[in-house]
Amino acid sequence: MRLGVTHKLFLAILTAAGLAVICSALIMQWRLNRGFNNYLNSIEKAGISRLAATLEKSYGTERSWGSLARNHERWRQLVISSFPMIPLEEIPPGDQMPPPAGMPPGAPEEHTDQNSARPHGLLPPPMARRFDQRLYLLDADKRVVVSRVMAPDASRATPLRYRGAVVGYLGIMPRTRPFADEPQRRFIRDQEQALTLTAGVVVLLAAILSLLMARRLVRPLRELAAATHRLSSGVFSVRVPISSRDELGELAGDFNSLALTLEKNEESRRQWVADISHELRTPLAILRGEIEAIQDGIRQPTPQTIQSLHGEVLHLGRLVDDLYQLSMSDVGALTYRKSELDLGDLLSETVAAFRPEFSSKGITIVESINDTAGTTVFGDPERLRQLFTNLLKNSLKYTDAGGTLIVRLQANGDMATVDFQDSPPAVPPAEMERLFERLYRVDSSRNRSTGGAGLGLAICRNIVEAHAGSITARPSSLGGLWIRIEIPRKGTN
């Protein structure tokens, strides 16, 4: 039989509670037995002390133990008077004191009224019988005066003194069993039954609470397991309620974050497939239309027609190359051969290569990269050149003729900062955050006639992140777009 988490947790809590209750009951029982035994011993010690004082006083009056040896009833009265705290019932006839040593059985005791009722004292019959049977009195020579025990031990006896001299010994034999009397045993049994009942009730309550607690603790796990099954089947909209602030609540929050991420990734994947299909379908449709027109004789395979077909093929090739570059950078398969390089020199060379194209369109490039001190970075020169090339191409394509492009490089703390600011057209602020998404184009500035597929900035972001940097977009003071790149300087990344 396979046990679930609920049963395992229930058994663990119940076992811990049961062991705690059993240990507590055993300790309490041990303390009860020991405490009750100490209580009985204290009663006996107090009675022995009082009886010893009484015997010493009696000896001082009579100067001998003869009267006690002959009159056993008087001895009994002295024993009874030593325990005045508990009512006494009449001792049964079978518990009479045997005659003193040397006295024949049945001999009358002096000073005893045979017709009088047996006196009532303050010692209960069980204790009177047990206590009286264990007492013994010896004279100064350690001969037995009164004793119901065999071979009394004088070494354990309490000396009795009169005027400084030892005149006798009073002793009591130790109990053969801790609780020999029935009332004592009944009291201990009652306490043990109460402890057992208490332990049973506590274990029962612990079982009920353990079951409730186990179900309470396992319920979030069951909900999480069911949600995980739904998530694995492709239902990314599933969420689990967060009912606590403990580790289970944190786990539920992490699951919801994971489900949200997977849902967004699924939406991005679907959008990505749709966008790629759309981007590839357009040049393919143009090629198909041109070729079919040539086949039908509508158009002639003139150099202009061939040039148009070649342009669409180039456009399709660039799109496929961009997709390949982006996919490689996403999976981290792009090779980076990093070394120490001067970012200013690399940026100047890239800008110089594009100056003729910007001049032909009437766009002025303003450079602020002469002072390159402190802009040495650890990076891949080819990938960084690709980064700057993509940004310069974007400005060249989307900046209106007669505009301006400012390229600035400076050291800003631990980072080397590169800024590209161009003139109109501008990008709406609401769409700034989406510029680095794949295949995203701003309708007012980007269109297929300029050859943009919306992959250049996505590739730029991957290259910057591979260099532990960041890239952001914001409105430019010139009225266009401002792209800022921050890359850690040498010795800071």
Side-chain angles (χ1 to χ4, degrees), residues 31 42 59 76 103 113 141 153 158 172 179 187 217 224 228 243 257 264 305 339 422 438 479 484 491:
R31 289 295 303 169
S42 64
Y59 185 88
R76 179 177 176 278
M103 182 178 293
D113 186 1
D141 297 327
D153 187 3
T158 300
I172 184 171
F179 309 113
F187 173 78
L217 292 176
L224 189 61
T228 302
S243 57
S257 299
K264 290 183 177 180
T305 303
S339 61
D422 56 27
R438 306 161 184 170
R484 165 162 285 190

Side-chain angles (χ1 to χ4, degrees), residues 86 164 176 296 313 316 340 350 362 410 420 423 446:
I86 304 176
T176 57
D296 294 339
V313 171
L316 185 60
E340 295 182 9
T350 309
Q410 59 184 349
F420 289 82
S423 54
R446 297 187 176 189

Side-chain angles (χ1 to χ4, degrees), residues 274-326:
D275 291 342
I276 290 178
S277 300
H278 181 70
E279 292 293 334
L280 293 176
R281 185 170 56 248
T282 300
L284 289 175
I286 295 175
L287 287 173
R288 178 181 178 181
E290 293 285 347
I291 293 174
E292 289 179 352
I294 294 175
Q295 289 176 341
D296 294 339
I298 299 175
R299 298 188 63 177
Q300 299 298 321
T302 61
Q304 292 80 8
T305 303
I306 300 300
Q307 182 66 31
S308 175
L309 294 175
H310 183 261
E312 292 299 329
V313 171
L314 291 178
H315 176 70
L316 185 60
R318 286 193 300 268
L319 177 59
V320 173
D321 289 340
D322 288 345
L323 289 173
Y324 176 75
Q325 292 288 335
L326 183 61

Side-chain angles (χ1 to χ4, degrees), residues 9-306:
L9 190 59
F10 165 73
L11 291 178
I13 298 176
L14 181 61
T15 301
L19 290 177
V21 171
I22 292 175
C23 292
S24 300
L26 292 177
I27 293 175
M28 291 178 63
Q29 183 177 359
W30 173 72
R31 289 295 303 169
L32 174 65
N33 293 336
R34 184 174 181 181
F36 191 62
N37 189 52
N38 293 337
Y39 168 73
L40 295 179
N41 290 334
S42 64
I43 292 179
E44 291 183 355
K45 289 181 180 179
I48 289 294
S49 298
R50 286 190 295 269
L51 181 57
T54 303
L55 290 175
E56 289 176 347
K57 183 177 180 180
S58 175
Y59 185 88
T61 302
E62 301 180 2
R63 300 294 194 278
S64 70
W65 302 113
S67 62
L68 289 178
R70 294 186 300 272
N71 190 348
H72 209 187
E73 185 64 23
R74 184 182 176 191
W75 165 259
R76 179 177 176 278
Q77 291 295 332
L78 291 178
V79 172
I80 292 174
S81 64
S82 300
F83 292 85
M85 74 291 294
I86 304 176
L88 174 69
E89 296 180 2
E90 185 175 355
I91 301 178
D95 288 333
Q96 298 299 322
M97 179 75 72
M103 182 178 293
E109 296 182 358
E110 296 181 2
H111 310 290
T112 301
D113 186 1
Q114 301 294 333
N115 299 323
S116 63
R118 190 169 297 276
H120 288 65
L122 298 178
L123 192 68
M127 183 170 288
R129 291 193 299 271
R130 301 293 180 184
F131 190 72
D132 185 53
Q133 290 173 3
R134 292 162 49 214
L135 281 173
Y136 57 88
L137 176 64
L138 307 179
D139 60 11
D141 297 327
K142 299 182 180 180
R143 293 191 299 267
V144 175
V145 178
V146 178
S147 175
R148 299 184 66 181
V149 297
M150 299 299 296
D153 187 3
S155 62
R156 294 177 176 270
T158 300
L160 303 177
R161 302 179 184 275
Y162 177 72
R163 294 182 179 178
V166 176
V167 296
Y169 297 90
L170 176 63
I172 184 171
M173 296 297 292
R175 290 190 296 269
T176 57
R177 290 185 295 173
F179 309 113
D181 298 328
E182 181 59 27
Q184 299 172 8
R185 292 194 297 270
R186 184 167 56 251
F187 173 78
I188 294 299
R189 284 197 302 269
D190 292 342
Q191 302 306 311
E192 290 177 349
Q193 291 175 359
L195 287 176
T196 303
L197 180 61
T198 302
V201 172
V202 172
V203 171
L204 179 61
L205 293 177
I208 297 175
L209 293 178
S210 300
L211 183 59
L212 296 177
M213 186 179 299
R215 290 181 175 177
R216 169 70 176 173
L217 292 176
V218 173
R219 185 183 300 115
L221 296 179
R222 289 181 175 176
E223 294 175 351
L224 189 61
T228 302
H229 291 317
R230 296 185 60 191
L231 186 66
S232 62
S233 63
V235 183
F236 300 115
S237 60
V238 63
R239 300 291 185 272
V240 294
I242 302 177
S243 57
S244 61
R245 297 184 179 180
D246 53 8
E247 289 79 0
L248 292 177
E250 294 179 358
L251 181 60
D254 293 339
F255 176 86
N256 291 338
S257 299
L258 174 62
L260 179 61
T261 301
L262 292 177
E263 185 177 15
K264 290 183 177 180
N265 289 341
E266 178 63 16
E267 293 177 357
S268 299
R269 184 189 65 82
R270 292 177 180 177
Q271 185 65 36
W272 168 251
V273 173
D275 291 342
I276 290 178
S277 300
H278 181 70
E279 292 293 334
L280 293 176
R281 185 170 56 248
T282 300
L284 289 175
I286 295 175
L287 287 173
R288 178 181 178 181
E290 293 285 347
I291 293 174
E292 289 179 352
I294 294 175
Q295 289 176 341
D296 294 339
I298 299 175
R299 298 188 63 177
Q300 299 298 321
T302 61
Q304 292 80 8
T305 303
I306 300 300

